[in-house]
Amino acid sequence: MTATTTTAAIAEAAAPLDGRPPVAPLLERVRAGREFGTNVYSTIDVLQVLYHRVLRVHPTAVDDPDRDRFLLSKGHAVAGYYAVLAAAQFFPADWLDDQGGPASRLGDHPDRLLVPGVEIGSGSLGHGLGLGVGTALGLRAQGRLEPRVYVLLGDAELDEGSNHEAITYAGTTGLANLTAIVIDNSSATHGWPGGPAARFTVDGWTAATVDGRDHDALHTALTGHDGNRPHVVVAVVEPKEG
Amino acid sequence: MRDTFVDTTTALLADDPRTALVLADISAGLFAPAAGRHPDRVLNVGIREQLMVGVAGGLALTGLRPIVHTYAPFLVERAYEQLKLDLDHQDASAVLVSVGASYDRPEAGRTHLSPADVSLIDTLHGWTVHVPGHPGEVAPLLRTAVAAETSAYLRLSVLSNDRPLGIDGALQVVRDAGPGAPLVVAVGPTLDAATAALADLPVTVAYTNRPRPFDIAGLRDRGGADVILVEPYLAGTSSRVVSAALADRPHRLLALGVGRKELRRYGSADDHAHWHGLDASGLRRSVVDFVSPALH
């Protein structure tokens, strides 16, 4: 699939249903004529489903202690993230222009201190899930049982051993308010025989592996946690090119 | 020092629901009573130091005040990127408390030696570093660190001076040789060896258990033309701070501490103090050579 046809699909899927600006033009605004890597397009559908249909977050309450948390661990998948956040009105759309410029708040990796709605600064792979585990533990320790913590990773990012420290700990201790989302575009150099989900389920996570372009399937998977164990959603998309 | 740390932390967990403790198996048995009382705030992640610091960052992001504890090399060196990114880059803070300072357990060999910990922490911005020289200093230093909002590193040791001194971080003159005398700054548990070594020499000896932020004003106030640092971790760790503080004055600086070379020797902490020149005889030799070679 080429970037052009993918973008067309995104535009179709992102028609404004609720008065918010559609994502696709905002994504084009970030792109500003540059060529995006496939990682941008591999993540956009999950982000849209999360921000439109799953996350209990609102731009007027970015510090609400009972908000859901979305942690983008694969920080390079940032263009779609910025576009979705702008569509959800976490910041003005004109921030999308001049991404990475000297006066811009939007870098090639997100910084939580610079961008409203961004929960963690990321970029170095393998940090989001540990921070997510700590966030989930902190919410639980304070009796905040409603908010849920979602951490988005890539299948290649799972190479980082720090993820496996977090996966095993969260699974064996039954950290029920945590959801990991793995975008699987077959980019891990040595692969994950049996699929990424097996790395989680062996430690007690529930798992759903779905078509990463199918919004209804993603929604079902992203809301499919059982309340007793951490949950992983593997969103399978077309393999990374090259 | 570790016992005092355990007792104080156990009390803090009971008194302040904002406090949390993150462990990686080390000392977990000592915290079993606290874990029983506060299972949601005493978190032993197993032998997973990257996760330990990541969890601390996440806890802090939800408003808790994490205390993070394990052996110094695993806390600071193994998980350094987590300190940089999961704490500092997130604008999250924690109180790190280590055991196993420098050569506290030399029979364990290189894997358990950690002379570089304070240097590594010193690459970060805005951290407070506490190096208590006596178990009696640990509780007030820990309480001060936990009550603050910023990150701190509390470096516990099995080595100790005979008596505790104050904890406000200011250089405390324990022996005054008068204006213009060379100033020896002994950090943490090096003080007793320094005072014993230099008893009959015309040098002022001052103590601190808080090398970061270093007491610049006290240094400028007391410092003569010669300054001698005695630090229980990597030699030269505080050289840049002293040099910057005295940049406008002609001065000389001698930085004593643990050497960089791997000795590949076991033995006792006393043996290592001797080999690194940090026992009384070694300190005396270095200071005399520096201040007044003619005294030899």
Side-chain angles (χ1 to χ4, degrees):
Chain A
M1 186 180 290
T2 68
T4 308
T5 56
T6 309
T7 307
I10 292 165
E12 185 181 319
L17 304 174
D18 55 3
R20 295 184 295 191
V23 170
L26 297 171
L27 188 59
E28 284 303 296
R29 201 161 163 180
V30 181
R31 194 165 77 86
R34 295 174 294 176
E35 200 57 44
F36 274 157
T38 51
N39 60 72
V40 171
Y41 300 107
S42 69
T43 309
I44 191 77
D45 292 275
V46 167
L47 289 171
Q48 288 187 88
V49 173
L50 280 167
Y51 276 86
H52 290 178
R53 300 171 66 181
V54 177
L55 294 176
R56 291 163 294 185
V57 295
H58 196 273
T60 61
V62 291
D63 293 323
D64 179 355
D66 285 318
R67 72 192 184 280
D68 285 336
R69 270 53 163 199
F70 172 72
L71 281 58
L72 181 73
S73 188
K74 51 177 257 177
H76 55 277
V78 80
Y81 187 37
Y82 291 153
V84 168
L85 285 173
Q89 297 176 352
F90 279 88
F91 54 81
D94 59 12
W95 288 21
L96 298 172
D97 304 325
D98 191 35
Q99 184 209 331
S104 177
R105 288 174 165 268
L106 311 184
D108 288 357
H109 302 117
D111 185 329
R112 66 177 291 274
L113 270 64
L114 298 179
V115 189
V118 167
E119 297 285 357
I120 61 166
S122 55
S124 177
L125 297 175
H127 287 265
L129 202 54
L131 285 166
V133 168
T135 302
L137 289 166
L139 292 168
R140 191 181 73 183
Q142 295 170 80
R144 300 190 186 281
L145 305 180
E146 288 301 314
R148 192 163 184 85
V149 179
Y150 298 82
V151 183
L152 190 145
L153 311 98
D155 68 298
E157 183 181 7
L158 284 181
D159 289 358
E160 295 283 4
S162 52
N163 291 306
H164 300 275
E165 294 188 3
I167 291 167
T168 304
Y169 175 77
T172 55
T173 59
L175 191 59
N177 55 343
L178 177 68
T179 292
I181 306 152
V182 179
I183 304 293
D184 183 1
N185 63 349
S186 305
S187 58
T189 295
H190 300 289
W192 295 108
R199 270 68 201 177
F200 294 79
T201 54
V202 72
D203 288 322
W205 294 54
T206 56
T209 298
V210 296
D211 178 351
R213 301 297 183 197
D214 182 333
H215 286 205
D216 287 332
L218 283 168
H219 179 258
T220 300
L222 289 166
T223 53
H225 45 274
D226 71 1
N228 299 308
R229 292 173 289 173
H231 184 55
V232 63
V233 174
V234 178
V236 181
V237 298
E238 55 281 7
K240 183 181 179 182
E241 295 165 14
Chain B
M1 289 192 195
R2 176 160 22 184
D3 293 340
T4 309
F5 160 62
V6 171
D7 293 345
T8 308
T9 300
T10 299
L12 283 166
L13 287 161
D15 294 344
D16 183 356
R18 221 180 128 235
T19 312
L21 174 68
V22 194
L23 302 169
D25 274 3
I26 298 292
S27 306
L30 299 172
F31 282 109
R37 287 195 285 275
H38 319 288
D40 281 348
R41 288 187 289 124
V42 177
L43 302 161
N44 177 11
V45 301
I47 308 168
R48 297 184 173 90
E49 289 83 9
Q50 296 182 81
L51 179 63
M52 175 181 63
V53 180
V55 162
L59 294 172
L61 288 175
T62 69
L64 295 180
R65 181 65 167 157
I67 299 169
V68 191
H69 167 70
T70 188
Y71 237 76
F74 317 134
L75 180 60
V76 177
E77 295 173 332
R78 189 181 193 115
Y80 175 76
E81 197 192 43
Q82 276 73 20
L83 300 181
K84 184 181 81 170
L85 296 181
D86 297 357
L87 292 175
D88 283 18
H89 181 52
Q90 311 306 330
D91 196 28
S93 65
V95 176
L96 273 52
V97 182
S98 71
V99 290
S102 289
Y103 41 72
D104 270 9
R105 199 179 153 197
E107 67 277 16
R110 177 61 181 136
T111 57
H112 287 59
L113 302 176
S114 63
D117 54 349
V118 177
S119 278
L120 275 167
I121 294 289
D122 205 28
T123 64
L124 305 170
H125 176 73
W127 282 63
T128 300
V129 178
H130 298 291
V131 182
H134 187 278
E137 297 167 14
V138 171
L141 288 175
L142 178 62
R143 287 182 177 279
T144 299
V146 171
E149 296 294 323
T150 49
S151 283
Y153 179 52
L154 180 61
R155 187 186 206 254
L156 307 182
S157 178
V158 299
L159 305 179
S160 170
N161 303 314
D162 278 346
R163 63 189 177 96
L165 290 171
I167 57 103
D168 67 357
L171 293 186
Q172 301 167 72
V173 174
V174 296
R175 186 159 158 273
D176 192 347
L183 174 67
V184 176
V185 177
V187 177
T190 67
L191 177 65
D192 279 1
T195 51
L198 311 173
D200 60 336
L201 296 179
V203 297
T204 292
V205 179
Y207 173 74
T208 187
N209 49 25
R210 197 203 65 193
R212 295 293 181 283
F214 200 93
D215 177 15
I216 299 297
L219 175 71
R220 289 182 62 84
D221 186 43
R222 300 297 315 198
D226 287 346
V227 176
I228 297 132
L229 284 168
V230 185
E231 299 187 278
Y233 34 79
L234 214 56
T237 298
S238 294
S239 292
R240 70 168 181 88
V241 176
V242 171
S243 295
L246 301 178
D248 60 338
R249 298 180 187 172
H251 68 278
R252 298 191 307 145
L253 170 63
L254 174 66
L256 303 176
V258 180
R260 275 183 160 72
K261 186 184 176 196
E262 182 178 349
L263 299 179
R264 296 189 187 277
R265 297 175 81 174
Y266 301 106
S268 67
D270 284 345
D271 291 327
H272 282 250
H274 178 64
W275 295 328
H276 289 286
L278 292 174
D279 60 350
S281 65
L283 290 173
R284 183 181 177 86
R285 188 170 55 247
S286 297
V287 171
V288 166
D289 277 352
F290 180 68
V291 174
S292 178
L295 289 179
H296 255 309

